[in-house]
Amino acid sequence: MNTKILKIVVIGLMAALCYISFMFLQIKIPTPGGFTSFHLGNTFCVLASLLLGGVSGGVAGAIGMGIGDLLDPSYVIVAPKTIILKLGIGIVTGLVAHRLFHIQHQQGKALWKAVFLSTLAGMLFNVIGEPIFSYFYTAFILGAPDNAAKALASWNAITTSINAIIAVILSTILYMVISPRLQHVGLLKKIAPKE
């Protein structure tokens, strides 16, 4: 199979996993400024970035969770914010994983450490960026009152932090479980970014 077609197929698969885990594995929380939620979508955005590289992984997350927002009346107005933030998670995770640690060449404990720190970097970007971006987006783009924007941002900080912890743990474990199998059949080399 052509490598470009294979990569597009895997991006689509990861986008679907982001969508499913965001839409169906979530707990919505209403706040005065809108909705926030606990979900597993970021897990697959980060996993996609580990497998495919930053931009491709971020695109998968942005597509999957962006579509999730667009199809849910509670979130449709924040879809642009989601798309930007998920692309950012992917880029940061992929940059650290593939440019700093070169995870394709790591093994054993060094690989565990590199994958863990890469996922942590992507989620740290989200933990910092989500509440800040949420406040400015809600207050200035959507025109919500300042107290409502602050309430949503503070709830987002809590849910984003919990989502981040879950995503770091699950995506690290998932990558460590599936990467040897993908490498064994030659797929990892075909879909991972070229150095």
Side-chain angles (χ1 to χ4, degrees):
M1 180 182 264
N2 183 320
T3 303
K4 288 182 182 179
I5 293 172
L6 178 62
K7 197 160 189 170
I8 290 169
V9 168
V10 176
I11 289 169
L13 172 67
M14 296 309 293
L17 288 170
C18 288
Y19 170 78
I20 290 166
S21 60
F22 173 70
M23 289 297 290
F24 302 109
L25 301 174
Q26 80 167 252
I27 300 168
K28 283 187 186 176
I29 301 168
T31 74
F35 284 87
T36 187
S37 67
F38 296 110
H39 63 83
L40 297 178
N42 293 335
T43 299
F44 292 99
C45 180
V46 171
L47 181 62
S49 301
L50 293 169
L51 293 170
L52 301 164
V55 174
S56 297
V59 166
I63 290 170
M65 287 183 271
I67 290 172
D69 277 0
L70 290 171
L71 295 177
D72 186 332
S74 305
Y75 292 116
V76 70
I77 60 174
V78 295
K81 176 181 73 97
T82 296
I83 291 167
I84 292 167
L85 285 168
K86 301 320 167 190
L87 184 60
I89 289 170
I91 290 171
V92 171
T93 302
L95 244 157
V96 175
H98 297 285
R99 299 287 182 222
L100 181 63
F101 288 118
H102 306 280
I103 62 172
Q104 299 95 315
H105 306 295
Q106 301 288 341
Q107 295 179 19
K109 289 183 182 179
L111 179 59
W112 274 97
K113 180 180 175 184
V115 169
F116 177 79
L117 291 174
S118 299
T119 61
L120 187 63
M123 289 293 82
L124 188 58
F125 165 82
N126 199 46
V127 166
I128 293 168
E130 172 70 37
I132 294 169
F133 198 55
S134 179
Y135 170 76
F136 285 103
Y137 187 83
T138 306
F140 298 110
I141 304 290
L142 300 179
D146 190 56
N147 60 344
K150 285 180 182 174
L152 179 59
S154 61
W155 272 101
N156 275 346
I158 294 166
T159 58
T160 300
S161 297
I162 293 168
N163 288 340
I165 292 166
I166 294 167
V168 168
I169 293 167
L170 289 179
S171 59
T172 299
I173 292 169
L174 285 170
Y175 183 83
M176 295 306 294
V177 168
I178 66 173
S179 66
R181 286 149 183 83
L182 292 175
Q183 195 165 25
H184 179 71
V185 297
L187 279 178
L188 193 57
K189 187 175 182 179
K190 291 180 181 179
I191 62 173
K194 305 294 181 246
E195 294 184 347

